[in-house]
Amino acid sequence: MRKITSVVFIFFFLFSIGFAQSELSVEKIMKDPKWIGNFPSNVRWDEQGKHILFNYNPEGNPSDSLYKIAVGKVGQIEKVTLEEQRSFIPSFANSNLAQTKKVFVRNGEIILYEVSSGKKTSLLNWGDRIGTPRFLANENRISFESSGNLYVLDIQSGKINRVTNINSGNKRISREGFKIDDRETSLRKENLELLQVVKEREEKRESSRAYREATAEAEPFAYYLGEKSASSLQLSPDEKFATFNLITRAENKRTVVPDYTHVSGYTTDINTRSKVGDADTKVELALYDIENEKVTLIDVSKLPGIQDLPDYTKDYPEKTWEAKDRNVTISSPIFSNDGSLAIVNIRSSDNKDRWIAQLDLNTAQLKVLDRQRDEAWVAGPGVGSAYGGGTLGWLPDNKHIYFQSEESGYSHLYLLDVTTGSKKALTSGKYEVFSPFISKDQKSWYLTTSEVHPGERHFYKMPLMGGKMEKLTSMTGNNDVSLSPDEKHIAILYSYSNKPWELFLKPNNAKAESKQLTSGQSEEFKAYNWKDPELVNFTAQDGASVPARLYKPSPEKNNGAAVIFVHGAGYLQNVHKWWSSYFREYMFHNLLTDLGYTVLDIDYRGSAGYGRDWRTGIYRHMGGKDLSDHVDGAKYLAAQHGVDPKRVGLYGGSYGGFITLMALFNESETFKSGAALRSVTDWAHYNHGYTSNILNEPFNDPIAYKRSSPIYFAEGLKGNLLIAHGMIDTNVHFQDVVRLAQRLIELEKDNWEMAVYPVEDHGFVEPSSWTDEYKRILKLFNSTLLD
């Protein structure tokens, strides 16, 4: 890094005596975040809806504890005792249809809980590991899993039946079942002719075996897994079928991260993930016909488009692309309430297709109900992943299914009639839907959307078959709602841009007022006037409107320089009206603004919150439109906010570090300085699940990887670069920046430096590490952007 001029030293001196001095400091904002205050999290209700439960820490303990507020005594916050906590019903408890009873496992026992009375009854003490108890269609019967098989407990009689016979490994075959070769046949014949006792014993053994076979009962049906493993074992509500996933795991080489500061005093190895391009783990679905004692693997070869090649293959005309069935992952079925029907979610391994299909339980055939194809990758709120997790289920009529899809370009809620195939969008528009669920009376939907603004979240109620949505929350920002079990009250975890999360309560009524229940900001935090960043949009070079947060200094402090922050994760939203998960960076931006910098925080292409096309705008070229959005942001600052175009820096971590590197290497005329934190330098070294969606696989699409990886563009570095990385980062490995450092050395670049943090993983923990890192970032900008 070049030396700071005497003019800059004078500027620092003036700062130190109070000229343009900020009330904030790096040491203050990067210390243990408890200094900000104490804020609620993980809000939920007790079973009767009498208390709101939440994690809280008013006593300043090392970690949060569980607290409660009674609905009728909203001024009193009480700590929940350990005895009370032990009595709580676990969140994974299974409910009957009317939601009046629940079953769960605790300490090896199946417990029945009656919601209205709070009564708990021990139904079974099994004495072995037991899991996933579920009410069946006959709610006097409960299925459960133990040792890889399913059992049914009749509550009234107490009788238990084992309904599956699934075994690990392969079926044992008797010696007589083995085929012997000519050599063995010859030896056997010779031995029987020579040794009379051996011959007599063999004749007796053969006679006994023939008698046993003639009189033996038929061997019970058993299914053997062989080299595979089973998961997600479940029984249909009508008890006629069981299903389970068969897993064939691939052997992939994993990388090792050395820990040089291990307590033992020795360098120890941390075994971490493998790299993109992993061999696929094969996931199949097995249907176990209990009455007919047979297991059938579900055939996916007839799925429409199963052999479709992705469009990017056209970029490789010299390669022969084999027409073959793509590998898919098929989820555990979701049964209708009566158990007669089932649907499955199927994802292609390249994640370009998602099929929702009906599984005919009698024929084991699939009937595709909906196919979503995306030449980039299928995702979005509520759409889920290869292993489920999205919005998918049955309406109470056992006729319609519901799901979310980005078919329109935004993730919305749909109904589909399985008898006719007709599909209906329940929501529509340029906004997204989050976490819809059906009301207890099964007449309405509750859902959260961004309809008001991409940077706001509100809670709504809507008729079950669609219609006008009723907005139930009104506070500007993020309203993260937890509905009481009786659906009479709404607990709201709420925050605004410059106000951390607090707990509110209101009746389940659009016109009712919300009452604040917690107030956790410390006096030290409240003493500073935290800025409410302006939400702006600027026009990108391709005409797109790019959202951003803008922090403007007062005219008397404006130094003409700018810093652009690049959020991490790629698919993440940070231009919004609620308290950011990047709270340290938010406070740092306040500090920078106090020092006269203009700060811009962009939701670049690939960010969450703006629909499918924005999400997939980086497909096959990370460092393409996501980078040009930052270049256009710098031009916007120069044109609209008086920023000197020769004094613009940027910084960010993880994906933000990656963009910072691409900016310094490819857009050196725009960005003078940058701090790349825990950054990906070569996408061929990152993980499979994230990277293969965006860039496909390195051996299939090398063009995408080469144009997306900073290490290939390091020769373009002209500005000032700070690289910072934790040495035990198990997400973006320290190896990334070591390889880049060697590349910069070989290129004889001398305008860069590296800070390493020996005890830090991807997300820093120690306040001393945060402080050191951000002091270096501030020093970088002060020493290079203010001359």
Side-chain angles (χ1 to χ4, degrees):
M1 196 70 66
R2 61 188 178 79
K3 294 181 179 179
I4 304 172
T5 65
S6 59
V7 174
V8 177
F9 274 121
I10 294 171
F11 198 79
F12 285 163
F13 175 73
L14 291 173
F15 271 14
S16 69
I17 62 174
F19 179 77
Q21 187 175 11
S22 174
E23 299 173 42
L24 302 175
S25 67
V26 171
E27 290 82 359
K28 179 175 182 176
I29 61 180
M30 295 297 160
K31 65 184 180 180
D32 190 321
K34 289 191 179 91
W35 81 270
I36 300 172
N38 167 50
F39 307 105
S41 63
N42 193 22
V43 177
R44 62 267 196 206
W45 292 81
D46 66 7
E47 292 296 326
Q48 284 75 34
K50 295 178 180 179
H51 294 89
I52 306 171
L53 306 173
F54 55 100
N55 292 351
Y56 208 45
N57 193 2
E59 300 166 346
N61 293 321
S63 60
D64 290 357
S65 299
L66 188 63
Y67 284 77
K68 66 181 180 181
I69 297 177
V71 172
K73 300 177 181 179
V74 295
Q76 299 179 23
I77 301 177
E78 301 176 84
K79 193 170 187 176
V80 179
T81 66
L82 287 175
E83 184 178 353
E84 285 181 285
Q85 290 187 51
R86 293 189 186 105
S87 70
F88 287 161
I89 307 305
S91 59
F92 53 79
N94 179 256
S95 297
N96 65 349
L97 283 180
Q99 299 183 47
T100 58
K101 298 178 181 180
K102 295 187 176 186
V103 287
F104 59 94
V105 174
R106 178 169 287 165
N107 299 324
E109 287 185 278
I110 295 182
I111 308 294
L112 175 67
Y113 174 74
E114 297 178 33
V115 175
S116 60
S117 66
K119 181 182 177 182
K120 296 174 190 168
T121 305
S122 176
L123 299 180
L124 177 66
N125 192 335
W126 187 241
D128 197 357
R129 192 200 66 81
I130 192 169
T132 59
R134 292 189 178 106
F135 284 100
L136 298 168
N138 177 351
E139 293 185 349
N140 287 316
R141 293 168 67 80
I142 292 171
S143 67
F144 65 92
E145 181 269 332
S146 182
S147 300
N149 278 284
L150 284 171
Y151 297 78
V152 172
L153 166 66
D154 188 293
I155 296 175
Q156 293 178 329
S157 68
K159 185 178 179 181
I160 300 170
N161 289 326
R162 176 172 165 172
V163 295
T164 63
N165 190 7
I166 302 170
N167 300 277
S168 60
N170 297 295
K171 183 177 180 180
R172 293 183 179 180
I173 303 174
S174 66
R175 179 64 189 170
E176 290 81 358
F178 282 99
K179 182 180 179 181
I180 57 177
D181 60 22
D182 292 341
R183 178 179 60 85
E184 286 184 277
T185 301
S186 175
L187 290 173
R188 173 186 170 86
K189 181 174 181 294
E190 181 181 330
N191 213 32
L192 291 174
E193 290 174 351
L194 289 172
L195 305 174
Q196 183 64 27
V197 172
V198 172
K199 179 180 179 181
E200 290 173 356
R201 289 179 178 177
E202 181 62 14
E203 289 173 348
K204 185 177 181 181
R205 185 162 42 246
E206 287 291 329
S207 176
S208 297
R209 183 173 64 82
Y211 175 78
R212 288 196 304 272
E213 289 179 354
T215 59
E217 294 183 5
E219 183 179 349
F221 172 77
Y223 182 78
Y224 290 86
L225 299 172
E227 300 300 317
K228 303 175 183 180
S229 60
S231 69
S232 306
L233 185 61
Q234 66 171 334
L235 185 64
S236 64
D238 61 7
E239 306 181 41
K240 293 181 179 180
F241 298 91
T243 63
F244 55 96
N245 286 118
L246 280 171
I247 314 296
T248 306
R249 301 196 182 278
E251 292 295 327
N252 292 299
K253 185 175 181 180
R254 310 186 76 80
T255 54
V256 171
V257 172
D259 181 358
Y260 294 100
T261 59
H262 191 267
V263 65
S264 67
Y266 290 86
T267 300
T268 59
D269 291 336
I270 304 171
N271 291 313
T272 64
R273 59 168 173 79
S274 54
K275 299 181 188 290
V276 61
D278 285 352
D280 290 332
T281 291
K282 188 175 182 180
V283 181
E284 302 168 280
L285 180 63
L287 179 66
Y288 192 127
D289 185 332
I290 293 170
E291 182 179 354
N292 295 306
E293 295 188 320
K294 66 177 181 177
V295 172
T296 306
L297 297 186
I298 304 305
D299 180 15
V300 296
S301 64
K302 297 178 182 178
L303 289 172
I306 188 66
Q307 293 192 350
D308 286 0
L309 288 172
D311 286 353
Y312 77 80
T313 57
K314 297 173 185 176
D315 284 353
Y316 301 94
E318 73 286 353
K319 183 175 180 179
T320 301
W321 297 90
E322 181 184 356
K324 61 179 181 179
D325 290 354
R326 286 175 288 160
N327 187 30
V328 301
T329 295
I330 182 168
S331 72
S332 185
I334 300 172
F335 291 100
S336 58
N337 291 334
D338 62 6
S340 62
L341 302 172
I343 52 173
V344 291
N345 180 66
I346 308 170
R347 299 286 289 252
S348 60
S349 60
D350 62 12
N351 232 357
K352 298 186 189 305
D353 273 290
R354 180 203 66 179
W355 299 268
I356 296 173
Q358 184 174 344
L359 172 62
D360 188 314
L361 298 169
N362 294 307
T363 65
Q365 297 298 305
L366 293 172
K367 174 186 175 184
V368 173
L369 303 173
D370 184 79
R371 178 190 179 191
Q372 184 181 338
R373 169 82 177 179
D374 195 313
E375 283 300 330
W377 72 101
V378 176
V383 177
S385 67
Y387 297 97
T391 300
L392 180 63
W394 291 88
L395 289 193
D397 63 6
N398 295 322
K399 176 182 176 183
H400 290 88
I401 64 167
Y402 60 84
F403 59 94
Q404 280 184 253
S405 170
E406 282 189 322
E407 177 183 323
S408 70
Y410 291 82
S411 184
H412 283 291
L413 181 62
Y414 291 81
L415 290 185
L416 188 146
D417 186 329
V418 298
T419 61
T420 65
S422 62
K423 184 168 62 175
K424 174 184 179 182
L426 297 186
T427 60
S428 62
K430 294 185 176 182
Y431 64 90
E432 295 184 317
V433 170
F434 308 89
S435 306
F437 63 94
I438 297 173
S439 63
K440 199 167 185 178
D441 64 8
Q442 301 186 334
K443 295 180 180 179
S444 305
W445 286 100
Y446 286 106
L447 62 160
T448 297
T449 86
S450 58
E451 182 179 21
V452 170
H453 184 277
E456 287 191 47
R457 297 287 185 271
H458 287 283
F459 191 61
Y460 295 82
K461 187 176 183 180
M462 178 179 67
L464 188 65
M465 302 306 290
K468 185 178 179 180
M469 294 194 300
E470 180 185 19
K471 184 165 165 283
L472 299 174
T473 54
S474 58
M475 295 182 289
T476 301
N478 191 334
N479 296 267
D480 186 359
V481 166
S482 178
L483 190 63
S484 65
D486 60 9
E487 300 183 356
K488 293 180 179 179
H489 291 90
I490 294 174
I492 307 170
L493 193 62
Y494 167 79
S495 74
Y496 185 65
S497 302
N498 58 358
K499 297 175 183 177
W501 300 93
E502 300 287 4
L503 183 59
F504 290 74
L505 176 68
K506 66 170 289 186
N508 186 1
N509 184 310
K511 297 180 180 179
E513 293 294 322
S514 299
K515 183 170 183 177
Q516 187 168 343
L517 305 183
T518 62
S519 183
Q521 294 183 30
S522 69
E523 292 303 318
E524 186 180 10
F525 182 81
K526 288 190 289 186
Y528 179 81
N529 185 25
W530 297 100
K531 295 167 181 62
D532 181 3
E534 181 183 355
L535 299 194
V536 299
N537 286 75
F538 60 86
T539 303
Q541 55 194 257
D542 64 353
S545 180
V546 182
R549 272 185 166 191
L550 177 66
Y551 300 75
K552 294 188 292 186
S554 60
E556 66 274 11
K557 292 184 178 179
N558 194 326
N559 61 25
V563 172
I564 296 178
F565 171 64
V566 192
H567 70 67
Y571 189 61
L572 178 147
Q573 184 178 9
N574 203 44
V575 178
H576 50 60
K577 301 178 183 179
W578 61 84
W579 185 249
S580 176
S581 58
Y582 288 101
F583 62 90
R584 290 183 180 89
E585 290 78 0
Y586 165 78
M587 293 188 290
F588 185 59
H589 299 161
N590 277 260
L591 169 61
L592 288 174
T593 309
D594 285 351
L595 295 176
Y597 292 92
T598 301
V599 180
L600 194 67
D601 174 359
I602 302 172
D603 270 348
Y604 49 87
R605 237 65 69 94
S607 297
Y610 309 95
R612 179 190 61 210
D613 293 345
W614 202 262
R615 173 179 64 78
T616 61
I618 58 174
Y619 177 58
R620 297 191 71 215
H621 193 182
M622 299 153 91
K625 289 183 179 179
D626 45 0
L627 175 56
S628 65
D629 285 345
H630 288 88
V631 173
D632 294 332
K635 293 177 180 178
Y636 160 76
L637 292 177
Q640 300 295 325
H641 297 284
V643 168
D644 183 345
K646 297 184 182 299
R647 294 196 288 141
V648 179
L650 79 168
Y651 83 102
S654 195
Y655 199 96
F658 151 73
I659 288 291
T660 298
L661 292 175
M662 291 294 267
L664 268 289
F665 296 166
N666 292 322
E667 297 290 344
S668 59
E669 299 305 313
T670 302
F671 301 104
K672 189 174 183 180
S673 303
L677 321 174
R678 50 194 180 277
S679 47
V680 176
T681 68
D682 187 343
W683 286 108
H685 288 255
Y686 197 52
N687 69 28
H688 184 82
Y690 179 87
T691 317
S692 63
N693 282 343
I694 305 171
L695 300 180
N696 304 306
E697 295 168 315
F699 45 82
N700 283 328
D701 197 0
I703 293 172
Y705 280 82
K706 191 164 185 178
R707 69 186 175 195
S708 299
S709 297
I711 199 166
Y712 291 103
F713 304 99
E715 67 275 5
L717 176 62
K718 295 178 182 177
N720 310 281
L721 172 63
L722 167 66
I723 299 170
H725 214 105
M727 293 183 73
I728 54 172
D729 191 332
T730 58
N731 182 8
V732 180
H733 300 155
F734 187 59
Q735 178 192 25
D736 267 51
V737 292
V738 171
R739 294 176 69 244
L740 178 61
Q742 180 59 30
R743 178 76 176 135
L744 292 171
I745 291 167
E746 293 176 6
L747 290 168
E748 299 182 355
K749 299 292 182 179
D750 58 6
N751 49 341
W752 63 280
E753 65 181 17
M754 183 185 293
V756 300
Y757 298 88
V759 300
E760 296 295 354
D761 200 337
H762 194 62
F764 282 17
V765 174
E766 299 301 326
S768 57
S769 300
W770 281 106
T771 300
D772 182 88
E773 183 179 53
Y774 274 78
K775 284 172 69 176
R776 293 176 186 274
I777 297 169
L778 183 58
K779 179 182 177 182
L780 169 73
F781 292 144
N782 282 342
S783 63
T784 62
L785 301 181
L786 297 184
D787 56 350

